[in-house]
């Protein structure tokens, strides 16, 4: 039991150090081209990226720490090659009002180019994402199911005013970046 506690404490300490040093650390972020910006709404074209992802079920507040441990385990060397991967931003979380939704870290592009280590955990998958055109809605404060639902509704209204609508075929992403406001994004059509 004490080794589990020590391991958890070490992960928390590492994340705290990364958080404290975040202004000094240039975390890799996904590439995109900004198409337009109107208040809290950005329309952008996202470049393809690779994510390490796990599925969450249940309430966000309870399941997010479990999902984070699965993914953090992989990037901190919990893979068949014991290879550590660089931290990136943002953390992606699917819409927590769904019965099952993904949590993912963007995998560093250098690791993708040289070949990704094989996950040892069956709950983790590696996937290339090609979202293309996305709408991104910025909002402040702590992430909760209610706040994400509110952001989703505001983004839908802003998109409708511009003649667009979110596409439910790929889904939405709550983007958590350590140096910025929260963002909610969805692929768009129209």
């Amino acid at each position: 039991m004490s080794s589990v506690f020590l391991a958890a404490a070490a992960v928390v300490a590492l994340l705290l150090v990364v958080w404290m040093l975040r202004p000094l650390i240039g975390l890799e972020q996904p590439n995109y081209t900004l198409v337009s910006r109107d208040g809290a709404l950005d329309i952008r074209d996202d470049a393809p990226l690779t994510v390490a992802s796990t599925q969450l079920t249940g309430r966000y507040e309870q399941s997010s720490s479990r999902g984070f441990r699965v993914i953090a385990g992989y990037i901190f060397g919990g893979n068949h090659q014991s290879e550590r991967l660089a931290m990136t931003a943002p953390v992606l979380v699917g819409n927590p009002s769904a019965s099952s939704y993904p949590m993912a870290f963007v995998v560093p592009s250098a690791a993708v180019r040289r070949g990704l280590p094989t996950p040892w955990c069956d709950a983790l998958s590696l996937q290339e994402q090609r979202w293309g055109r996305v709408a991104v809605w910025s909002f402040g404060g702590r992430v909760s199911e209610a706040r994400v639902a509110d952001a989703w509704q505001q983004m839908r209204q802003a998109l409708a005013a511009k003649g667009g609508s979110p596409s439910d075929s790929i889904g939405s992403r709550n983007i958590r970046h350590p140096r910025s406001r929260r963002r909610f994004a969805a692929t768009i059509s129209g």
Side-chain angles (χ1 to χ4, degrees):
M1 183 65 161
S2 64
S3 63
V4 171
F5 176 77
L6 290 175
V11 168
V12 168
L14 177 63
L15 292 174
L16 182 60
V17 168
V18 169
W19 182 81
M20 289 171 31
L21 296 175
R22 70 187 189 277
L24 306 174
I25 299 173
L27 295 178
E28 181 180 340
Q29 299 176 49
N31 293 322
Y32 64 88
T33 302
L34 183 64
V35 175
S36 69
R37 174 171 286 151
D38 185 5
L41 179 66
D42 287 354
I43 306 298
R44 65 189 203 189
D45 291 331
D46 278 4
L49 52 86
T50 301
V51 297
S53 176
T54 191
Q55 285 297 116
L56 305 179
T57 57
R59 296 191 56 83
Y60 174 78
E61 289 81 7
Q62 287 80 37
S63 62
S64 62
S65 62
R66 183 182 72 252
F68 186 83
R69 282 192 307 271
V70 167
I71 299 168
Y74 174 74
I75 67 170
F76 294 142
N79 52 67
H80 288 292
Q81 292 79 9
S82 299
E83 181 181 338
R84 292 177 178 258
L85 303 176
M87 292 290 292
T88 63
V91 176
L92 307 169
V93 181
N95 191 339
S97 62
S99 61
S100 176
Y101 50 97
M103 173 181 271
F105 283 172
V106 177
V107 177
S109 57
V112 173
R113 285 191 299 275
R114 73 175 172 267
L116 294 174
T118 307
W120 57 259
C121 177
D122 291 338
L124 186 117
S125 64
L126 301 171
Q127 305 157 344
E128 183 180 24
Q129 299 293 334
R130 295 179 176 269
W131 290 313
R133 177 124 328 156
V134 297
V136 178
W137 185 262
S138 297
F139 61 99
R142 196 174 158 94
V143 174
S144 68
E145 291 176 41
R147 188 166 290 250
V148 168
D150 184 53
W152 174 252
Q153 188 62 16
Q154 289 177 38
M155 184 175 67
R156 289 177 66 92
Q157 291 170 353
L159 275 174
K162 293 184 170 296
S165 65
S167 169
D168 293 331
S169 63
I170 295 177
S172 55
R173 298 291 180 264
N174 165 34
I175 303 173
R176 299 178 62 199
H177 184 282
R179 290 188 292 219
S180 67
R181 295 170 50 85
R182 305 297 192 226
R183 291 184 172 87
F184 190 81
T187 57
I188 59 174
S189 60

